[in-house]
Amino acid sequence: MPRKDYNRDATRELQSGFTLIELLVVVIILGVLAGLIIPRVMDRPEEARRTKARLQIETLENALRLFHLDNGFYPGTEQGLEALVRKPETGRTILKWREGGYLDKERVPKDPWGNDFRYLSPGIRNRDYDLWSPGPDGKDGGEGRDRDVTNWEAES
């Protein structure tokens, strides 16, 4: 019966695994990759929200143009964007309001952060009206990530 060398088998088993240094190198490499990739991936949702807000503003502007074509003026500030979904009973008299309103979903959308869009007519920055989203902080103004999305300045 052949004799088995248990010491040799035990040595092979120990040498077949990773050393502590190899594991540390792998963990460090994964940490560096995560540090480079995660910030870029995490910023994408914010970029998507800003793009959605710009598209919503364009949709509201188109509805405001249709309102203007029917009535010869834009809704006043007191009538607000609600004039696009319900015939206003205050402010200037509406003679040719479109049945069903000017927005497809028959409600004024919220911005991507859950805030109401702001509307001022006549506008300060634009002659006819100013339309903007207050951005993620929900406050007018702001810089960096908290800057507003507006109809009077181009996004970079």
Side-chain angles (χ1 to χ4, degrees):
M1 190 159 147
R3 194 171 142 230
K4 207 165 187 181
D5 189 356
Y6 291 106
N7 287 337
R8 185 178 295 163
D9 289 342
T11 305
R12 278 190 200 136
E13 285 180 25
L14 288 174
Q15 291 176 349
S16 66
F18 292 108
T19 65
L20 182 59
I21 293 175
E22 290 171 327
L23 287 174
L24 285 174
V25 168
V26 168
V27 168
I28 290 171
I29 290 172
L30 290 174
V32 168
L33 288 174
L36 294 173
I37 293 171
I38 288 177
R40 292 177 189 214
V41 172
M42 295 302 286
D43 197 38
R44 293 292 182 197
E46 187 62 29
E47 185 179 320
R49 284 186 196 98
R50 296 190 80 72
T51 300
K52 182 178 179 182
R54 280 192 296 278
L55 292 172
Q56 287 176 308
I57 286 174
E58 288 176 16
T59 299
L60 291 170
E61 285 183 313
N62 288 333
L64 286 165
R65 281 188 203 101
L66 290 173
F67 182 98
H68 184 268
L69 284 172
D70 284 350
N71 297 288
F73 60 90
Y74 292 101
T77 302
E78 69 281 354
Q79 295 169 323
L81 295 173
E82 284 296 315
L84 300 175
V85 293
R86 282 181 228 20
K87 185 176 180 179
E89 296 181 14
T90 62
R92 289 176 76 172
T93 305
I94 308 297
L95 300 176
K96 292 177 64 181
W97 194 80
R98 181 180 295 189
E99 193 61 40
Y102 297 88
L103 293 172
D104 291 337
K105 296 192 178 183
E106 298 181 5
R107 64 180 173 78
V108 178
K110 299 274 190 189
D111 74 7
W113 300 278
N115 304 310
D116 291 326
F117 283 94
R118 306 297 207 293
Y119 175 75
L120 181 66
S121 177
I124 295 171
R125 292 170 182 90
N126 281 333
R127 186 170 51 92
D128 296 318
Y129 61 85
D130 293 341
L131 178 61
W132 70 99
S133 160
D137 64 351
K139 299 175 186 169
D140 293 340
E143 295 181 16
R145 294 178 75 97
D146 290 333
R147 75 184 184 279
D148 298 346
V149 180
T150 69
N151 73 330
W152 61 81
E153 58 185 32
E155 288 284 322
S156 52

